[in-house]
Amino acid sequence: MAVKLSAESPHGPTRILPVYPSQLGKFSFGQNQESELDEWELELNDGLDTSHLCEGAESLRTTDVPVAFPTETVYGLGADATRSSAVQGIYKAKQRPSDNPLIVHICSLNQLKDLLKPSEAHNSNGLQQRNGGLSRAENITHQRADPRDPIPEIYKSLIRRFWPGPLTILLPNPENSRLAPEVTAGLPTFGARMPKSLLALALIKLAGVPIAAPSANASTKPSPTTADHVYHDLNGRIDIILDGGPCDVGVESTVVDGLASPPSILRPGGISIEQLRECAGWEDVVIGYKDGSEKESKPRAPGMKYRHYSPKALVVLHEAGSMPPTVSDIQNKVGPNRSIGIISTKDWGEELLLSDIDQSNVSVIQRGARPPPKANGSYPSPPSSIHEPSSSTSTPTEEISTSGFKSLLQSLQSHQPSHAHSNTLTLTPSEPPIHIWQISLGAKTENIARGLFSALRDLDQKGVEVIYVEGIEDEGDVAAAIMNRLRKAAEVKVL
């Protein structure tokens, strides 16, 4: 049922192919977590969902055109990580700088071990010699005891607790590596993760190769959390978007480096520093990233060097506890389109709220709610699987701490993104009104994480000229990841 695509054929309109993981077939895992992470089996059903998935996998195997697919964090843009021509297709589609490394996505520990197997260039201690010395990748303070298992011991506690899940680990790239050199961007290391998404895992398994995949957006733009977001950025640049519904976590994976002492977090994400410190060997983990772009250095992980997550509109970030924008703020920033956006979280509330609004001089026409947008060829998830994020009583820690494949079978669900409500601000009868689009993400950190990128994109597509964002305290859970993304996106910060 697989359909082969020609790598030489010109790109037509990008197709969005719906895939419901619950319709794919039977997933068979091992009896315990250790064995289930090593390998697992998938017995496919006949049907349209399986046909779409197989078409995506065949394209990954046989063409140089990347395929977009959902993970639990954001949508990824995948290519065969072992072929240079395929990986170059990612950089071309995203228009991404070639010195920005890519994360390798794997479906099992056996697949990862194959990438790490030592070659003849390794010495007896498992350390590679280069130019008479050891590179940073070989300066591993936690040596592996079992030569049959090349995964560094420092990562074992993290893998047991967080995989599959939103955690990327930095690993030494062996001599004569199977990975295309474009994956590592010239670094002696590569990042790898096992996504907590049945669709992503099934795609990687069917493709039969590790998949290099950054977020499926145009470079520097907000990361996509729906198939519609991918279509908006990459229509005509790729052939296939596999639509598995909105992403669950909403921010990218946490990237950690255990090859140095002490271990460090290179990018905040779906796993918090508090959770990492509960794992053996990670009690003293430190923060190794900055909230601004690190332009003077070579990035050790994605998201470190360049301005990321930025819509076309000017982003004004109000740090936690700051007052909402004033009428004069809006007057000073609004442009000829007379349109602004507001993203509220914990304190600003769902209604339009301006710090110095004077109802005697200002008329505010409240809320023209709009229906959810219709996807460009995509389909909604089955009604029985949809629930509102606000109805969830579990915390991010509880959700992410559920480890192993079996938890995936209980998480075949999607979340509905928040949508913008319109308001009109009329200052005087003689001047045109200002159109204000407001999105409330609510007070829960997990809901803010899920909705942030979607909200930035939604407002950008409205043509707003400035987006005011209410920040949150960046302590604990995924709050640090949220604020890291916002500070990278913001051109103006209000303390």
Side-chain angles (χ1 to χ4, degrees), residues 136-174:
R136 197 198 70 80
E138 290 84 20
N139 186 24
I140 303 173
T141 58
H142 303 266
Q143 295 302 313
R144 45 189 176 267
D146 186 352
R148 297 170 299 178
D149 184 358
I151 299 175
E153 194 66 29
I154 183 66
Y155 292 121
K156 298 296 180 62
S157 62
L158 300 187
I159 289 171
R160 281 192 296 270
R161 179 168 179 186
F162 299 120
W163 274 14
L167 180 72
T168 296
I169 60 176
L170 206 64
L171 294 160
N173 196 29

Side-chain angles (χ1 to χ4, degrees), residues 480-491:
I482 293 169
M483 292 306 295
N484 173 262
R485 273 47 165 194
L486 283 175
R487 288 170 183 139
K488 286 180 181 289
E491 297 180 49

Side-chain angles (χ1 to χ4, degrees), residues 290-445:
K290 299 177 182 178
D291 283 334
S293 298
E294 301 178 33
K295 295 182 179 180
E296 302 303 320
S297 60
K298 191 168 186 177
R300 293 157 58 196
M304 295 188 73
K305 182 173 181 179
Y306 299 98
R307 184 173 179 237
H308 281 61
Y309 324 112
S310 301
K312 290 179 291 185
L314 172 74
V315 176
V316 179
L317 172 61
H318 288 242
E319 294 283 347
S322 299
M323 295 295 289
T326 65
V327 171
S328 58
D329 290 335
I330 291 175
Q331 284 180 295
N332 290 335
K333 292 287 194 302
V334 73
N337 287 349
R338 308 288 289 179
S339 183
I340 70 159
I342 296 176
I343 299 175
S344 60
T345 56
K346 298 191 175 184
D347 296 323
W348 289 5
E350 296 185 9
E351 303 296 326
L352 177 66
L353 178 64
L354 304 177
S355 296
D356 62 348
I357 195 164
D358 180 358
Q359 292 293 346
S360 63
N361 298 320
V362 178
S363 171
V364 178
I365 304 173
Q366 244 345 31
R367 353 197 135 187
R370 68 176 181 89
K374 191 172 182 179
N376 291 297
S378 63
Y379 295 83
S381 299
S384 60
S385 69
I386 294 177
H387 71 271
E388 293 284 353
S390 59
S391 66
S392 174
T393 57
S394 58
T395 66
T397 301
E398 289 169 344
E399 290 179 2
I400 294 170
S401 295
T402 304
S403 56
F405 286 130
K406 292 184 177 64
S407 65
L408 290 175
L409 299 178
Q410 303 169 357
S411 64
L412 295 177
Q413 58 190 17
S414 63
H415 302 276
Q416 295 177 329
S418 299
H419 298 295
H421 300 286
S422 61
N423 306 273
T424 302
L425 177 65
T426 302
L427 300 175
T428 67
S430 61
E431 57 183 322
I434 297 174
H435 300 286
I436 300 176
W437 294 92
Q438 182 166 8
I439 297 178
S440 175
L441 300 180
K444 290 187 176 181
T445 301

